[in-house]
């Protein structure tokens, strides 16, 4: 993947670069109290601010889907962009790939599968509601938004929960 140093980042450019594709699984979300399960027809691209400041270590693209930075491996592509007089390192990756790194850090792999799937659904809803195409990034990979970790922090159990709920959202009265 080519790297970019531009303030003119947008979701379409990242989508074309990364080639995010939707993977839909059969099944419906079961919920109560007026909550409804829903699906999307495509995967959104999430842009995560990993670091900001002066002197950010240069990431290195490993292959078409991974890059290395600060001793860790991340999914997706990256860009270093100007942010308020500083630099910002932005990772861009498909929604479910992002969720692998979130669910693994937000819920224990020892919890029941249903709990991990609920966490995946809620995390998906949270980030989808915060996609900001008019900004250089959608969220910060830390406790101020969602705890997002590198590939090394992902668990098999979290990936299974994300995959089992891929494309699904929880809605209330159709919204």
């Amino acid at each position: 993947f080519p790297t970019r140093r531009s303030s003119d980042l947008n979701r379409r450019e990242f989508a074309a670069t990364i080639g995010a594709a939707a993977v839909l699984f059969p099944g419906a979300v079961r919920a109560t109290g007026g909550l409804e399960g829903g699906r999307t027809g495509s995967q959104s691209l999430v842009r995560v601010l990993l670091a900001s400041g002066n002197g950010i270590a240069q990431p290195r693209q490993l292959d078409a889907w991974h890059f290395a930075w600060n001793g860790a491996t991340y999914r997706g592509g990256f860009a270093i962009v100007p942010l308020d007089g500083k630099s910002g390192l932005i990772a861009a990756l498909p929604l479910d790939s992002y969720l692998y790194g979130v669910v693994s850090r937000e819920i224990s792999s020892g919890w029941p599968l249903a709990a991990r799937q609920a966490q995946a659904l809620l995390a998906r809803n949270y980030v989808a509601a915060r996609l900001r195409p008019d900004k250089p990034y959608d969220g910060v990979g830390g406790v101020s938004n969602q705890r997002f970790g590198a590939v090394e922090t992902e668990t098999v159990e979290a990936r299974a929960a994300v995959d089992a709920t891929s494309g699904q959202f929880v809605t209330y009265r159709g919204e």
Side-chain angles (χ1 to χ4, degrees):
F1 286 18
T3 60
R4 293 196 43 171
R5 291 181 183 268
S6 168
S7 60
D8 187 29
L9 299 177
N10 68 49
R11 201 169 311 286
R12 284 190 185 141
E13 288 174 321
F14 270 119
T17 302
I18 293 175
V23 178
L24 300 176
F25 293 89
V29 178
R30 293 190 179 148
T32 60
L35 296 175
E36 304 147 5
R39 291 187 167 275
T40 63
S42 66
Q43 289 280 355
S44 296
L45 199 63
V46 179
R47 296 164 303 147
V48 184
L49 178 65
L50 296 179
S52 65
N54 296 319
I56 295 174
Q58 180 68 33
R60 181 173 48 93
Q61 198 72 46
L62 299 174
D63 59 34
W65 293 98
H66 302 89
F67 67 93
W69 178 71
N70 267 6
T73 303
Y74 292 88
R75 295 179 186 275
F78 69 89
I80 296 178
V81 301
L83 294 174
D84 299 323
K86 301 176 190 170
S87 294
L89 173 60
I90 311 290
L93 62 165
L95 177 58
D96 281 359
S97 294
Y98 168 74
L99 291 175
Y100 293 157
V102 170
V103 176
S104 294
R105 301 215 40 218
E106 291 194 344
I107 190 168
S108 168
S109 61
W111 281 55
L113 176 60
R116 292 189 310 271
Q117 288 176 337
Q119 181 68 35
L121 285 167
L122 295 175
R124 187 176 291 110
N125 274 48
Y126 181 91
V127 71
R130 284 155 181 79
L131 295 177
R132 306 175 324 172
D134 57 321
K135 304 288 183 187
Y137 60 91
D138 301 308
V140 178
V143 295
S144 63
N145 286 152
Q146 290 179 307
R147 294 182 69 204
F148 172 68
V151 171
E152 294 86 355
T153 67
E154 295 175 7
T155 66
V156 171
E157 295 84 2
R159 285 193 300 266
V162 171
D163 290 344
T165 62
S166 182
Q168 299 176 3
F169 292 85
V170 176
T171 61
Y172 179 71
R173 295 186 180 168
E175 295 183 22

